[in-house]
Amino acid sequence: MESSGISVAPVSTALRIGSQRAALVCACAVGFAFSANYTNHAPVIGVLARQFGFIQALGGLLTTGIFITHAAMQVPGGYIVDRLGSRRVLIFALAWVALGNFAIAFSGAFWQLLAWKIFTGIGTGTCFVAGARYIHEALGGSRLPVAQGMYGGSILLGSGFVILAVPRISLWASWRVAFLVSATVAVCAWIIWIAVSPQVPSVARARGQLRGMLLSPRLWLLGLMQMASFGLAIVVGAWIITLLVGTLQVPAAKAGLIGSFVLLLGIMMRPLGGILRQHMGMRALLALSLLSNAAGCFMLAAGWNSFPPAVAAVLLIGTGCGLPYAALFTRAASLFPGRAGAAMGLVNMLGILMILVGAPLVGRLADWSGSFRSSFVALGGFSLAACAAVSLVSRDEPATTI
């Protein structure tokens, strides 16, 4: 019986080494494919605005649209995954993502673009929790944190890669072809998934109420850490170039290069965080990460008009935001093994809420104060508050029967 009050049936989670590697590669291919949809519209918003006659500010709704449904599907999608199995659900969720991209490519008005982005977010949200649960089922022991970190790194790789690729594709062909390419990537991942991904052992079935998991203080605490890591990374990434160019007078080209480090570092830091989790305690890892975030935010708030401190600050934030990923999701799954998908979905949903609320609040605070310095002081303070809450996180993994 779990300490959460949900009983689970013991199952074997061992796959052969070769099958574990195949499972990891397939999951990372899925992570790359669905996460491309987070940002594949961003590089062509200007082109879309001119073609469909909307102001560029409305282009931000495309990001909001996909993340609203992405966030909304974290817990329901996790619940479905826990009931039907991660591998089976991913077959349908990837097809959903591919369909959304094909539809966007043939859209004829802004409202259609927005509607299909909202539609696609349902698929990406389900894909995320299904992939995370699949990793949890397919790999175990010392390999699990590293594997979960590699899965998380593939998600950042996909969302970052399209920012580089889409402008080149749209110049070579058109913005419609760029979305067709995104759809093709999802279809290729779908084919690989069906053909290669190993079957995982039967999942544990929860016999308790979902409500007990949703109200678990331990999961909400992990969600707070996700807000102060992944959520903070996206919020900082949304405004860092504006801060560097407008406040610190960093040239635009350099500002773009520096700003990209906030997310690109996570490609390496998420797997590294999984490795470090094997050698240091949960509290130590989280505290180190959140203090790094706070230091980076305060350095940006200081307003030093110098290139090296700006680079150092972004490196600190990129490192601090990437390291906790594997530890947070492996802990969430171990707390509620019978509802691992929904548990990881709840933690991730809270991180996404930070994006939806924090990004506009940072802009509002900057408008009110006349400077982004106050906004980054607030973000640094939030990181410190989350760091203070680390003492409430249990030191050891909970004992489970899975």
Side-chain angles (χ1 to χ4, degrees):
M1 181 75 70
E2 296 175 76
S3 59
S4 59
I6 298 177
S7 59
V8 296
V11 297
S12 172
T13 59
L15 290 179
R16 292 179 300 175
I17 298 299
S19 296
Q20 289 185 5
R21 291 171 181 166
L24 178 58
V25 170
C26 290
C28 288
V30 169
F32 180 92
F34 78 74
S35 66
N37 294 270
Y38 295 172
T39 51
N40 60 358
H41 60 279
V44 292
I45 283 181
V47 175
L48 296 174
R50 289 191 295 271
Q51 177 159 345
F52 296 118
F54 61 88
I55 60 174
Q56 292 201 47
L58 286 177
L61 289 178
L62 298 176
T63 301
T64 302
I66 189 171
F67 271 107
I68 282 179
T69 46
H70 182 85
M73 283 304 298
Q74 293 301 298
V75 174
Y79 177 81
I80 294 170
V81 168
D82 293 335
R83 291 294 298 265
L84 301 180
S86 55
R87 188 178 184 276
R88 183 190 308 175
V89 171
L90 263 170
I91 293 173
F92 293 97
L94 269 177
W96 189 287
V97 170
L99 176 61
N101 277 278
F102 279 122
I104 291 171
F106 293 101
S107 294
F110 173 75
W111 71 266
Q112 294 175 4
L113 294 172
L114 180 58
W116 286 114
K117 267 294 176 181
I118 293 171
F119 174 92
T120 304
I122 297 173
T124 62
T126 307
C127 279
F128 173 83
V129 290
R133 169 101 204 200
Y134 182 78
I135 289 289
H136 182 73
E137 292 169 336
L139 294 102
S142 61
R143 295 184 181 89
L144 179 57
V146 179
Q148 199 68 260
M150 293 180 69
Y151 173 67
S154 73
I155 293 172
L156 292 180
L157 179 61
S159 57
F161 177 77
V162 291
I163 294 177
L164 174 67
V166 165
R168 288 160 175 78
I169 295 172
S170 62
L171 287 175
W172 167 68
S174 71
W175 66 267
R176 296 184 189 276
V177 173
F179 283 105
L180 288 174
V181 170
S182 294
T184 302
V185 170
V187 169
C188 290
W190 181 78
I191 294 172
I192 292 172
W193 187 256
I194 292 176
V196 181
S197 63
Q199 294 281 355
V200 294
S202 300
V203 299
R205 299 299 183 189
R207 302 193 182 103
Q209 292 185 350
L210 181 65
R211 180 174 177 271
M213 185 219 74
L214 294 177
L215 297 179
S216 169
R218 292 175 295 176
L219 282 184
W220 282 78
L221 183 60
L222 296 179
L224 173 64
M225 304 302 156
Q226 179 73 346
M227 293 173 72
S229 52
F230 169 68
L232 186 136
I234 301 298
V235 172
V236 170
W239 291 108
I240 184 64
I241 296 177
T242 304
L243 170 74
L244 294 175
V245 174
T247 304
L248 304 183
Q249 286 77 52
V250 175
K254 287 185 177 180
L257 178 63
I258 298 171
S260 67
F261 289 159
V262 174
L263 291 176
L264 293 180
L265 273 175
I267 298 172
M268 297 179 293
M269 292 302 151
R270 286 184 169 186
L272 178 60
I275 296 173
L276 291 177
R277 179 64 186 93
Q278 298 173 316
H279 302 287
M280 61 191 303
M282 180 84 167
R283 290 184 183 179
L285 178 62
L286 291 176
L288 174 65
S289 303
L290 297 175
L291 287 175
S292 177
N293 290 342
C297 288
F298 289 140
M299 287 176 67
L300 291 173
W304 292 324
N305 188 11
S306 175
F307 185 68
V311 172
V314 170
L315 290 177
L316 284 170
I317 295 173
T319 299
C321 288
L323 290 178
Y325 176 89
L328 292 176
F329 286 97
T330 53
R331 173 61 65 86
S334 64
L335 285 171
F336 292 89
R339 299 196 188 275
M344 291 187 282
L346 176 61
V347 171
N348 198 48
M349 183 193 71
L350 294 173
I352 298 170
L353 289 180
M354 172 67 175
I355 301 169
L356 297 176
V357 176
L361 282 181
V362 165
R364 178 63 176 170
L365 185 56
D367 290 338
W368 174 75
S369 65
S371 168
F372 276 100
R373 295 178 182 178
S374 58
S375 300
F376 279 86
V377 167
L379 291 174
F382 180 74
S383 295
L384 286 181
C387 185
V390 167
S391 61
L392 301 176
V393 176
S394 63
R395 296 180 182 273
D396 302 316
E397 296 295 339
T400 64
T401 58
I402 188 171

